[in-house]
Amino acid sequence: MQVPLWFALLAVGWLGIKLIRPPWWLIAVLLLGGYLLADSLFAPVINTAVK
């Protein structure tokens, strides 16, 4: 069974917010930081570490 990545991230994010209840500013910082890192020089390093 293959699940789209966006759906898996959405499900994990929703569960994390419901169970852990982090502050909204922390969620925004993590999302913005991840978006900015994905388009930076560190993207190949992160890609190899994830795979």
Side-chain angles (χ1 to χ4, degrees):
M1 181 171 119
Q2 291 184 350
V3 177
L5 179 61
W6 64 268
F7 184 74
L9 290 175
L10 183 68
V12 169
W14 183 78
L15 283 174
I17 290 172
K18 287 294 181 185
L19 295 175
I20 300 172
R21 297 188 182 262
W24 286 106
W25 63 265
L26 181 60
I27 296 169
V29 166
L30 289 175
L31 288 174
L32 184 61
Y35 177 76
L36 292 175
L37 277 177
D39 198 29
S40 70
L41 295 174
F42 298 113
V45 175
I46 296 170
N47 191 23
T48 56
V50 170
K51 290 186 178 189

